[in-house]
Coordinates of all heavy atoms in Angstrom, one line a residue:
M235 N 119.2 113.5 77.7 CA 117.8 113.6 77.1 C 117.7 115.1 76.7 O 118.5 115.9 76.9 CB 116.8 113.2 78.2 CG 116.7 114.2 79.4 SD 115.3 113.7 80.4 CE 115.4 115.1 81.6
Y236 N 116.6 115.3 75.9 CA 116.3 116.6 75.4 C 115.0 117.2 76.1 O 114.0 116.4 76.3 CB 116.1 116.5 73.9 CG 117.4 116.1 73.2 CD1 117.6 114.8 72.9 CD2 118.3 117.1 72.8 CE1 118.8 114.4 72.3 CE2 119.5 116.7 72.2 CZ 119.7 115.4 71.9 OH 120.9 115.0 71.3
C237 N 115.0 118.5 76.3 CA 113.9 119.1 76.9 C 112.7 119.1 75.9 O 112.8 119.4 74.8 CB 114.2 120.6 77.3 SG 112.8 121.5 77.8
K238 N 111.5 118.7 76.5 CA 110.3 118.6 75.6 C 109.7 120.0 75.3 O 108.9 120.1 74.4 CB 109.3 117.6 76.2 CG 108.8 118.0 77.5 CD 107.7 117.0 78.0 CE 107.0 117.4 79.3 NZ 107.8 117.2 80.5
N239 N 110.2 121.0 76.0 CA 109.7 122.3 75.8 C 110.6 123.1 74.8 O 110.1 123.6 73.7 CB 109.6 123.1 77.1 CG 109.0 124.5 76.9 OD1 107.9 124.6 76.4 ND2 109.7 125.5 77.4
C240 N 111.9 123.2 75.1 CA 112.8 124.0 74.2 C 113.7 123.2 73.3 O 114.3 123.7 72.4 CB 113.6 125.0 75.1 SG 114.7 124.1 76.2
G241 N 113.8 121.9 73.6 CA 114.5 121.0 72.7 C 116.0 121.0 73.0 O 116.8 120.2 72.4
N242 N 116.5 121.7 74.0 CA 117.9 121.7 74.3 C 118.3 120.4 75.1 O 117.5 119.9 75.8 CB 118.2 122.9 75.3 CG 118.5 124.2 74.5 OD1 119.4 124.3 73.7 ND2 117.6 125.2 74.7
E243 N 119.6 120.0 74.8 CA 120.0 118.8 75.5 C 120.3 119.2 77.0 O 121.0 120.1 77.3 CB 121.3 118.3 74.8 CG 121.7 116.9 75.4 CD 122.8 116.3 74.6 OE1 123.4 116.9 73.7 OE2 123.1 115.1 74.9
I244 N 119.7 118.4 77.9 CA 119.9 118.6 79.3 C 120.3 117.3 80.0 O 120.2 116.2 79.4 CB 118.6 119.2 79.9 CG1 117.4 118.4 79.5 CG2 118.5 120.7 79.6 CD1 116.1 118.8 80.3
D245 N 120.8 117.4 81.2 CA 121.2 116.3 82.0 C 120.0 115.3 82.2 O 118.9 115.7 82.4 CB 121.7 116.8 83.4 CG 122.4 115.8 84.2 OD1 121.8 114.8 84.7 OD2 123.7 115.9 84.3
D246 N 120.4 114.0 82.1 CA 119.4 113.0 82.2 C 118.7 113.0 83.6 O 117.5 112.6 83.7 CB 120.0 111.6 82.0 CG 120.2 111.3 80.6 OD1 119.7 112.0 79.7 OD2 121.0 110.3 80.3
K247 N 119.4 113.5 84.6 CA 118.8 113.4 86.0 C 118.2 114.8 86.3 O 117.6 114.9 87.4 CB 120.0 113.1 87.0 CG 120.5 111.7 86.8 CD 121.4 111.3 88.0 CE 122.8 111.8 87.9 NZ 123.6 111.2 86.8
A248 N 118.2 115.7 85.4 CA 117.6 117.1 85.7 C 116.1 117.0 85.9 O 115.4 116.4 85.0 CB 118.0 118.1 84.7
A249 N 115.6 117.6 86.9 CA 114.1 117.6 87.1 C 113.5 118.9 86.4 O 112.4 118.8 86.0 CB 113.8 117.7 88.6
I250 N 114.3 119.9 86.3 CA 113.9 121.1 85.6 C 114.9 121.5 84.6 O 116.1 121.4 84.8 CB 113.8 122.3 86.7 CG1 112.6 122.0 87.6 CG2 113.5 123.6 86.0 CD1 112.6 122.8 88.9
C251 N 114.5 121.9 83.4 CA 115.4 122.3 82.3 C 116.1 123.6 82.7 O 115.5 124.6 83.1 CB 114.6 122.5 81.0 SG 115.6 123.3 79.7
P252 N 117.5 123.6 82.7 CA 118.2 124.8 83.1 C 118.1 125.9 82.0 O 118.3 127.1 82.3 CB 119.6 124.3 83.2 CG 119.7 123.1 82.4 CD 118.3 122.5 82.3
K253 N 117.7 125.6 80.8 CA 117.6 126.6 79.8 C 116.2 127.4 79.8 O 116.2 128.6 79.6 CB 117.7 125.9 78.4 CG 119.0 125.1 78.2 CD 120.1 126.0 77.9 CE 121.4 125.3 77.3 NZ 121.8 124.1 78.0
C254 N 115.1 126.6 80.0 CA 113.8 127.3 80.0 C 113.1 127.2 81.3 O 112.0 127.8 81.5 CB 113.0 126.8 78.8 SG 112.5 125.1 79.0
G255 N 113.5 126.4 82.2 CA 112.9 126.3 83.6 C 111.7 125.4 83.6 O 111.0 125.4 84.6
V256 N 111.4 124.7 82.5 CA 110.2 123.8 82.5 C 110.5 122.5 83.2 O 111.6 121.9 83.0 CB 109.7 123.7 81.1 CG1 108.8 122.4 80.9 CG2 108.9 124.9 80.7
M257 N 109.5 121.9 83.9 CA 109.7 120.6 84.5 C 109.9 119.5 83.4 O 109.2 119.5 82.4 CB 108.4 120.2 85.3 CG 108.1 121.1 86.4 SD 109.0 120.8 87.9 CE 108.2 119.3 88.5
T258 N 110.9 118.7 83.6 CA 111.2 117.7 82.6 C 110.4 116.4 82.7 O 110.4 115.6 81.8 CB 112.7 117.2 82.7 OG1 112.9 116.7 84.0 CG2 113.6 118.4 82.5
G259 N 109.6 116.3 83.8 CA 108.8 115.1 84.0 C 109.7 113.9 84.5 O 109.2 112.8 84.4
N260 N 110.9 114.2 84.9 CA 111.8 113.2 85.5 C 111.3 112.9 86.9 O 111.9 113.4 87.9 CB 113.2 113.8 85.4 CG 114.2 112.7 85.3 OD1 113.9 111.5 85.5 ND2 115.4 113.1 84.9
T261 N 110.3 112.1 87.0 CA 109.7 111.9 88.3 C 110.6 111.2 89.3 O 110.4 111.4 90.5 CB 108.4 111.0 88.2 OG1 108.7 109.9 87.4 CG2 107.3 111.8 87.5
S262 N 111.5 110.4 88.8 CA 112.4 109.6 89.8 C 113.2 110.6 90.6 O 113.5 110.4 91.7 CB 113.3 108.7 89.0 OG 114.1 109.4 88.1
V263 N 113.6 111.8 90.0 CA 114.3 112.8 90.6 C 113.4 113.6 91.6 O 113.8 113.9 92.7 CB 115.0 113.7 89.6 CG1 115.7 114.9 90.4 CG2 116.1 112.9 88.8
V264 N 112.2 113.9 91.1 CA 111.3 114.7 91.9 C 110.9 114.0 93.1 O 110.8 114.5 94.2 CB 110.0 115.1 91.0 CG1 108.9 115.7 91.9 CG2 110.4 115.9 89.9
N265 N 110.7 112.6 93.0 CA 110.2 111.8 94.1 C 111.3 111.7 95.2 O 110.9 111.5 96.4 CB 109.9 110.4 93.6 CG 108.4 110.4 93.0 OD1 107.7 111.3 93.3 ND2 108.1 109.4 92.3
T266 N 112.5 111.8 94.9 CA 113.6 111.6 95.9 C 113.5 112.8 96.9 O 114.0 112.7 98.0 CB 115.0 111.5 95.3 OG1 115.2 112.6 94.5 CG2 115.2 110.2 94.6
E267 N 112.9 113.9 96.4 CA 112.8 115.1 97.3 C 111.6 115.0 98.2 O 111.4 115.8 99.0 CB 112.7 116.4 96.4 CG 113.9 116.6 95.5 CD 115.2 116.7 96.3 OE1 115.2 117.4 97.3 OE2 116.2 116.1 95.9
K268 N 110.7 114.0 97.9 CA 109.4 113.9 98.5 C 109.5 112.8 99.5 O 110.0 111.7 99.2 CB 108.4 113.6 97.5 CG 106.9 113.7 97.9 CD 106.0 113.4 96.8 CE 104.6 113.1 97.2 NZ 104.4 111.7 97.6
T269 N 108.9 113.0 100.7 CA 108.8 112.0 101.7 C 107.5 111.3 101.5 O 106.5 111.9 101.4 CB 109.0 112.6 103.1 OG1 110.2 113.3 103.2 CG2 108.9 111.5 104.2
N270 N 107.5 110.0 101.6 CA 106.3 109.2 101.4 C 105.3 109.5 102.5 O 105.6 109.5 103.7 CB 106.6 107.7 101.4 CG 105.4 106.9 101.1 OD1 104.7 106.5 102.0 ND2 105.1 106.6 99.9
T271 N 104.0 109.9 102.1 CA 103.0 110.3 103.0 C 102.6 109.2 104.0 O 102.5 109.4 105.2 CB 101.7 110.8 102.2 OG1 102.1 111.6 101.2 CG2 100.7 111.5 103.1
L272 N 102.5 108.0 103.4 CA 102.1 106.9 104.3 C 103.1 106.5 105.3 O 102.8 106.1 106.4 CB 101.8 105.6 103.4 CG 100.4 105.5 102.9 CD1 100.3 104.2 102.1 CD2 99.4 105.4 104.1
A273 N 104.4 106.8 105.0 CA 105.5 106.6 106.0 C 105.3 107.5 107.2 O 105.5 107.1 108.3 CB 106.8 106.8 105.3
I274 N 104.9 108.8 106.9 CA 104.7 109.8 108.0 C 103.5 109.4 108.8 O 103.5 109.3 110.0 CB 104.6 111.2 107.4 CG1 105.8 111.6 106.5 CG2 104.3 112.2 108.5 CD1 105.6 112.8 105.7
V275 N 102.4 109.1 108.1 CA 101.1 108.7 108.7 C 101.4 107.4 109.6 O 100.9 107.4 110.7 CB 100.0 108.4 107.7 CG1 98.8 107.9 108.3 CG2 99.7 109.7 106.9
G276 N 102.1 106.5 109.0 CA 102.4 105.2 109.7 C 103.2 105.5 111.0 O 102.9 104.9 112.0
F277 N 104.1 106.4 110.9 CA 105.0 106.7 112.0 C 104.2 107.3 113.2 O 104.3 106.9 114.3 CB 106.1 107.6 111.6 CG 107.1 108.0 112.7 CD1 108.0 107.0 113.1 CD2 107.1 109.2 113.3 CE1 108.9 107.4 114.2 CE2 107.9 109.5 114.3 CZ 108.9 108.6 114.7
V278 N 103.3 108.3 112.8 CA 102.5 109.0 113.8 C 101.5 108.0 114.4 O 101.3 108.0 115.6 CB 101.7 110.2 113.1 CG1 100.8 110.8 114.1 CG2 102.8 111.2 112.7
L279 N 100.8 107.2 113.5 CA 99.8 106.2 114.0 C 100.4 105.2 114.9 O 99.7 104.6 115.8 CB 99.1 105.6 112.8 CG 97.9 106.4 112.2 CD1 97.3 105.6 111.0 CD2 96.9 106.7 113.2
S280 N 101.7 104.8 114.7 CA 102.3 103.8 115.5 C 102.3 104.1 117.0 O 102.2 103.2 117.8 CB 103.7 103.5 115.0 OG 104.6 104.6 115.3
F281 N 102.2 105.4 117.3 CA 102.2 105.8 118.7 C 100.7 105.7 119.3 O 100.5 105.5 120.4 CB 102.7 107.2 118.9 CG 104.1 107.4 118.7 CD1 104.6 107.8 117.5 CD2 105.1 107.0 119.7 CE1 105.9 108.0 117.2 CE2 106.4 107.2 119.4 CZ 106.9 107.6 118.2
L282 N 99.8 105.9 118.4 CA 98.4 106.1 118.7 C 97.6 104.8 118.5 O 97.0 104.2 119.4 CB 97.7 107.2 117.9 CG 98.5 108.5 118.0 CD1 97.9 109.5 116.9 CD2 98.4 109.2 119.3
V283 N 97.6 104.3 117.3 CA 96.8 103.1 116.9 C 97.8 102.1 116.3 O 98.1 102.2 115.1 CB 95.7 103.3 116.0 CG1 94.8 102.1 115.8 CG2 94.8 104.5 116.4
A284 N 98.4 101.2 117.1 CA 99.6 100.4 116.7 C 99.3 99.6 115.4 O 100.1 99.6 114.5 CB 100.0 99.5 117.8
I285 N 98.1 99.0 115.3 CA 97.9 98.1 114.2 C 97.7 98.9 112.9 O 98.3 98.5 111.9 CB 96.6 97.2 114.4 CG1 96.4 96.2 113.3 CG2 95.3 98.0 114.7 CD1 97.4 95.1 113.2
A286 N 97.1 100.1 113.0 CA 97.0 101.0 111.8 C 98.3 101.5 111.4 O 98.6 101.7 110.2 CB 96.0 102.1 112.1
G287 N 99.1 101.9 112.4 CA 100.5 102.4 112.2 C 101.3 101.3 111.5 O 102.1 101.7 110.6
L288 N 101.2 100.1 111.9 CA 102.0 99.0 111.3 C 101.6 98.8 109.8 O 102.5 98.7 109.0 CB 101.7 97.7 112.1 CG 102.5 96.5 111.6 CD1 104.0 96.7 111.8 CD2 102.1 95.2 112.3
I289 N 100.3 98.8 109.5 CA 99.8 98.6 108.2 C 100.3 99.8 107.3 O 100.9 99.6 106.2 CB 98.3 98.5 108.1 CG1 97.9 97.2 108.8 CG2 97.8 98.5 106.7 CD1 96.4 97.1 109.2
C290 N 100.1 101.0 107.7 CA 100.6 102.2 107.0 C 102.1 102.2 106.7 O 102.6 102.5 105.7 CB 100.2 103.5 107.7 SG 98.4 103.8 107.6
S291 N 102.8 101.8 107.8 CA 104.3 101.7 107.7 C 104.8 100.7 106.6 O 105.7 101.0 105.9 CB 104.9 101.4 109.0 OG 104.6 102.5 109.9
I292 N 104.1 99.5 106.7 CA 104.5 98.5 105.7 C 104.2 98.9 104.3 O 105.1 98.8 103.4 CB 103.7 97.2 106.0 CG1 104.2 96.5 107.3 CG2 103.8 96.2 104.9 CD1 103.4 95.4 107.9
I293 N 103.0 99.5 104.0 CA 102.7 100.0 102.7 C 103.6 101.2 102.3 O 104.1 101.3 101.2 CB 101.2 100.4 102.6 CG1 100.3 99.2 102.9 CG2 100.8 101.0 101.2 CD1 98.8 99.6 103.2
G294 N 103.8 102.1 103.3 CA 104.7 103.3 103.0 C 106.1 102.8 102.7 O 106.7 103.4 101.8
R295 N 106.6 101.8 103.3 CA 107.9 101.3 103.1 C 108.0 100.7 101.7 O 109.0 100.9 101.0 CB 108.3 100.2 104.1 CG 109.8 100.1 104.4 CD 110.0 99.3 105.6 NE 111.4 99.1 105.8 CZ 112.1 98.2 105.2 NH1 111.5 97.3 104.4 NH2 113.4 98.1 105.4
K296 N 107.0 100.0 101.3 CA 106.9 99.4 99.9 C 106.9 100.5 98.9 O 107.6 100.4 97.9 CB 105.6 98.6 99.9 CG 105.6 97.5 98.8 CD 104.4 96.6 99.0 CE 104.1 95.8 97.7 NZ 103.3 96.6 96.7
Q297 N 106.1 101.6 99.1 CA 106.0 102.7 98.2 C 107.3 103.4 98.1 O 107.7 103.9 97.0 CB 104.9 103.6 98.6 CG 103.5 103.1 98.4 CD 102.4 104.0 98.7 OE1 102.6 105.1 99.3 NE2 101.2 103.7 98.3
C298 N 108.0 103.6 99.2 CA 109.3 104.2 99.2 C 110.3 103.5 98.3 O 111.0 104.1 97.5 CB 109.9 104.3 100.6 SG 109.2 105.5 101.7
K299 N 110.3 102.2 98.4 CA 111.1 101.3 97.6 C 110.8 101.4 96.1 O 111.6 101.6 95.2 CB 111.0 99.9 98.0 CG 112.3 99.1 98.1 CD 112.1 97.7 98.5 CE 112.2 97.5 100.0 NZ 112.0 96.1 100.5
E300 N 109.5 101.4 95.8 CA 109.0 101.4 94.4 C 109.2 102.8 93.7 O 109.5 102.8 92.6 CB 107.5 101.0 94.4 CG 107.2 99.5 94.6 CD 105.8 99.2 94.8 OE1 104.9 100.1 94.8 OE2 105.5 98.0 95.0
R301 N 108.9 103.8 94.5 CA 108.9 105.2 93.9 C 110.2 105.9 94.1 O 110.4 107.0 93.7 CB 107.7 106.0 94.5 CG 106.4 105.4 94.2 CD 105.3 106.2 94.9 NE 104.0 105.6 94.9 CZ 102.9 106.1 95.5 NH1 103.0 107.2 96.1 NH2 101.8 105.4 95.5
G302 N 111.1 105.4 95.0 CA 112.3 106.1 95.3 C 112.1 107.3 96.2 O 112.9 108.2 96.1
E303 N 111.0 107.3 97.0 CA 110.7 108.4 97.8 C 111.5 108.3 99.1 O 111.9 107.2 99.5 CB 109.2 108.5 98.1 CG 108.4 108.9 96.9 CD 106.9 108.8 97.2 OE1 106.5 108.1 98.1 OE2 106.2 109.5 96.5
K304 N 111.6 109.4 99.9 CA 112.2 109.4 101.2 C 111.2 108.8 102.2 O 110.0 108.8 101.9 CB 112.6 110.8 101.6 CG 113.8 111.3 101.0 CD 114.1 112.7 101.4 CE 115.4 113.3 100.8 NZ 115.5 114.7 101.0
G305 N 111.7 108.4 103.4 CA 110.8 108.0 104.4 C 111.0 106.5 104.8 O 110.2 105.9 105.5
M306 N 112.0 105.9 104.2 CA 112.3 104.5 104.4 C 112.6 104.3 105.9 O 112.0 103.3 106.5 CB 113.5 104.0 103.6 CG 113.6 102.5 103.5 SD 112.4 101.7 102.5 CE 113.5 100.9 101.4
G307 N 113.4 105.1 106.5 CA 113.8 105.0 107.9 C 112.6 105.3 108.8 O 112.4 104.6 109.8
L308 N 111.8 106.2 108.4 CA 110.6 106.6 109.1 C 109.6 105.4 109.1 O 109.0 105.1 110.2 CB 110.0 107.8 108.4 CG 109.1 108.7 109.3 CD1 109.9 109.3 110.4 CD2 108.5 109.9 108.4
A309 N 109.4 104.8 108.0 CA 108.5 103.7 107.9 C 109.0 102.5 108.7 O 108.2 101.8 109.4 CB 108.3 103.3 106.4
T310 N 110.3 102.3 108.7 CA 110.9 101.2 109.5 C 110.7 101.4 110.9 O 110.3 100.6 111.7 CB 112.4 101.0 109.1 OG1 112.6 100.9 107.7 CG2 113.0 99.8 109.8
A311 N 111.0 102.7 111.4 CA 110.8 103.1 112.8 C 109.3 102.9 113.2 O 109.0 102.4 114.2 CB 111.2 104.5 113.0
G312 N 108.4 103.3 112.3 CA 106.9 103.1 112.5 C 106.6 101.7 112.7 O 105.8 101.4 113.6
M313 N 107.2 100.8 111.9 CA 106.9 99.4 112.0 C 107.4 98.8 113.4 O 106.6 98.1 114.1 CB 107.6 98.6 110.9 CG 106.9 98.6 109.6 SD 108.0 98.0 108.3 CE 108.2 96.3 108.8
I314 N 108.6 99.2 113.8 CA 109.2 98.8 115.1 C 108.4 99.3 116.2 O 108.0 98.5 117.1 CB 110.7 99.2 115.2 CG1 111.5 98.5 114.1 CG2 111.2 98.9 116.6 CD1 112.9 99.1 113.8
I315 N 108.0 100.6 116.2 CA 107.2 101.2 117.3 C 105.9 100.5 117.4 O 105.4 100.2 118.5 CB 107.1 102.7 117.1 CG1 108.5 103.4 117.2 CG2 106.2 103.3 118.1 CD1 108.6 104.8 116.7
S316 N 105.2 100.3 116.3 CA 103.9 99.6 116.3 C 104.0 98.2 116.9 O 103.2 97.9 117.7 CB 103.4 99.4 114.8 OG 103.3 100.7 114.2
I317 N 105.0 97.5 116.5 CA 105.2 96.1 117.1 C 105.5 96.2 118.6 O 104.9 95.4 119.3 CB 106.3 95.3 116.3 CG1 105.9 95.1 114.8 CG2 106.7 94.0 117.0 CD1 107.0 94.7 113.9
V318 N 106.3 97.1 119.0 CA 106.7 97.2 120.4 C 105.4 97.6 121.2 O 105.1 97.1 122.2 CB 107.8 98.3 120.6 CG1 107.9 98.7 122.1 CG2 109.1 97.8 120.1
N319 N 104.6 98.6 120.6 CA 103.4 99.0 121.2 C 102.4 97.9 121.4 O 101.8 97.8 122.4 CB 102.8 100.1 120.4 CG 103.0 101.5 121.0 OD1 103.5 101.6 122.1 ND2 102.6 102.5 120.3
M320 N 102.3 97.0 120.3 CA 101.4 95.9 120.4 C 101.8 94.9 121.4 O 101.0 94.3 122.2 CB 101.3 95.3 119.0 CG 100.3 96.0 118.1 SD 99.8 95.0 116.7 CE 101.2 95.3 115.7
A321 N 103.2 94.7 121.5 CA 103.7 93.7 122.4 C 103.5 94.2 123.9 O 103.0 93.4 124.7 CB 105.2 93.6 122.2
F322 N 103.6 95.5 124.1 CA 103.3 96.1 125.4 C 101.8 96.0 125.7 O 101.5 95.7 126.9 CB 103.8 97.6 125.5 CG 105.2 97.7 125.9 CD1 106.2 98.2 125.1 CD2 105.6 97.3 127.2 CE1 107.5 98.4 125.5 CE2 106.9 97.5 127.6 CZ 107.8 98.0 126.8
G323 N 101.0 96.1 124.7 CA 99.6 96.0 124.9 C 99.2 94.6 125.3 O 98.4 94.5 126.2
V324 N 99.8 93.6 124.7 CA 99.6 92.2 125.1 C 100.1 91.9 126.5 O 99.3 91.4 127.3 CB 100.3 91.3 124.0 CG1 100.2 89.8 124.5 CG2 99.6 91.4 122.7
I325 N 101.3 92.4 126.8 CA 101.9 92.2 128.1 C 101.0 92.9 129.2 O 100.7 92.3 130.2 CB 103.3 92.7 128.2 CG1 104.2 91.8 127.3 CG2 103.9 92.8 129.6 CD1 105.6 92.5 127.0
Y326 N 100.6 94.1 128.9 CA 99.7 94.9 129.8 C 98.4 94.1 130.1 O 98.0 94.1 131.2 CB 99.5 96.3 129.2 CG 98.7 97.2 130.1 CD1 99.3 97.8 131.2 CD2 97.4 97.4 129.9 CE1 98.6 98.6 132.1 CE2 96.6 98.2 130.8 CZ 97.3 98.8 131.8 OH 96.5 99.6 132.7
T327 N 97.8 93.6 129.0 CA 96.6 92.8 129.1 C 96.8 91.6 130.0 O 96.0 91.3 130.9 CB 96.1 92.4 127.7 OG1 96.0 93.6 126.9 CG2 94.7 91.8 127.8
I328 N 97.9 90.9 129.7 CA 98.1 89.6 130.5 C 98.3 90.0 132.0 O 97.7 89.3 132.9 CB 99.4 88.9 129.9 CG1 99.1 88.3 128.6 CG2 99.9 87.8 130.9 CD1 100.3 87.9 127.8
I329 N 99.1 91.0 132.3 CA 99.4 91.5 133.6 C 98.1 91.9 134.3 O 97.8 91.5 135.4 CB 100.4 92.6 133.7 CG1 101.8 92.0 133.3 CG2 100.5 93.2 135.1 CD1 102.9 93.1 133.1
S330 N 97.2 92.6 133.6 CA 96.0 93.1 134.1 C 95.1 91.9 134.5 O 94.5 91.9 135.5 CB 95.2 94.0 133.0 OG 96.0 95.1 132.7
I331 N 95.0 90.9 133.6 CA 94.2 89.7 133.8 C 94.7 89.0 135.1 O 94.0 88.6 135.9 CB 94.1 88.8 132.6 CG1 93.3 89.5 131.5 CG2 93.5 87.5 132.9 CD1 93.5 88.9 130.1
A332 N 96.1 88.9 135.1 CA 96.7 88.1 136.2 C 96.5 88.8 137.6 O 96.1 88.2 138.5 CB 98.2 88.0 136.0
V333 N 96.6 90.2 137.6 CA 96.4 91.0 138.8 C 94.9 90.9 139.2 O 94.6 90.7 140.3 CB 96.9 92.4 138.6 CG1 96.4 93.3 139.7 CG2 98.4 92.5 138.4
F334 N 94.1 91.0 138.2 CA 92.6 91.0 138.4 C 92.2 89.6 139.0 O 91.5 89.6 139.9 CB 91.9 91.3 137.1 CG 90.5 91.8 137.3 CD1 90.3 93.0 137.9 CD2 89.4 91.0 136.9 CE1 89.0 93.5 138.1 CE2 88.1 91.5 137.1 CZ 87.9 92.7 137.7
G335 N 92.8 88.6 138.4 CA 92.6 87.2 138.8 C 93.0 87.0 140.3 O 92.3 86.3 141.0
A336 N 94.2 87.5 140.6 CA 94.8 87.4 141.9 C 93.9 88.1 143.0 O 93.8 87.6 144.1 CB 96.2 87.9 142.0
L337 N 93.3 89.2 142.6 CA 92.5 90.0 143.5 C 91.2 89.3 143.8 O 90.7 89.4 144.9 CB 92.3 91.4 142.9 CG 93.5 92.4 142.9 CD1 93.1 93.6 142.2 CD2 93.9 92.7 144.4
L338 N 90.7 88.6 142.8 CA 89.5 87.9 143.0 C 89.8 86.6 143.7 O 89.1 86.0 144.4 CB 88.8 87.6 141.6 CG 88.3 88.9 140.9 CD1 87.8 88.5 139.5 CD2 87.1 89.5 141.6
Ligands
ZN1480 ZN1 113.8 123.6 78.1

């Protein structure tokens, strides 16, 4: 492709023109350097609010795929942690009810 600023021929994958230093607008390359925000938020939330973490991770994972951003592994981890947290929440609730029922 050609630089839209100086017109020199540059690499198709270049994010910045090596001749004049102007951004080429090659977002697919720029995005691979960026970690998806929702993937990070989803990962953090998965420890705190499992259901919110799961939703953010699913959306974050979808955005990673669509935009070619980093954070796919983070989003997947966020999903797994959220599900495990929710499962523990359910088990904990069942045990609590059972123990409480036995005490009464
Ligand atoms: Zn240029």
Side-chain angles (χ1 to χ4, degrees):
M235 66 173 185
Y236 295 93
C237 174
K238 59 180 186 284
N239 184 55
C240 64
N242 276 299
E243 191 171 4
I244 49 170
D245 193 286
D246 282 347
K247 292 191 283 289
I250 294 164
C251 172
K253 303 281 194 312
C254 68
V256 158
M257 297 279 283
T258 59
N260 210 345
T261 50
S262 63
V263 174
V264 173
N265 278 343
T266 55
E267 299 301 317
K268 187 177 167 278
T269 303
N270 183 271
T271 312
L272 270 178
I274 302 166
V275 172
F277 182 76
V278 174
L279 277 179
S280 67
F281 292 98
L282 310 166
V283 191
I285 186 72
L288 182 64
I289 293 164
C290 287
S291 295
I292 290 169
I293 300 166
R295 208 168 175 276
K296 199 169 163 281
Q297 287 183 350
C298 285
K299 220 181 270 178
E300 285 170 0
R301 303 177 188 175
E303 289 176 337
K304 280 180 183 171
M306 193 74 124
L308 205 61
T310 307
M313 279 169 65
I314 293 164
I315 294 162
S316 298
I317 292 164
V318 168
N319 256 352
M320 277 194 280
F322 271 116
V324 170
I325 291 164
Y326 184 77
T327 306
I328 291 167
I329 291 169
S330 299
I331 291 166
V333 168
F334 201 68
L337 289 173
L338 293 172

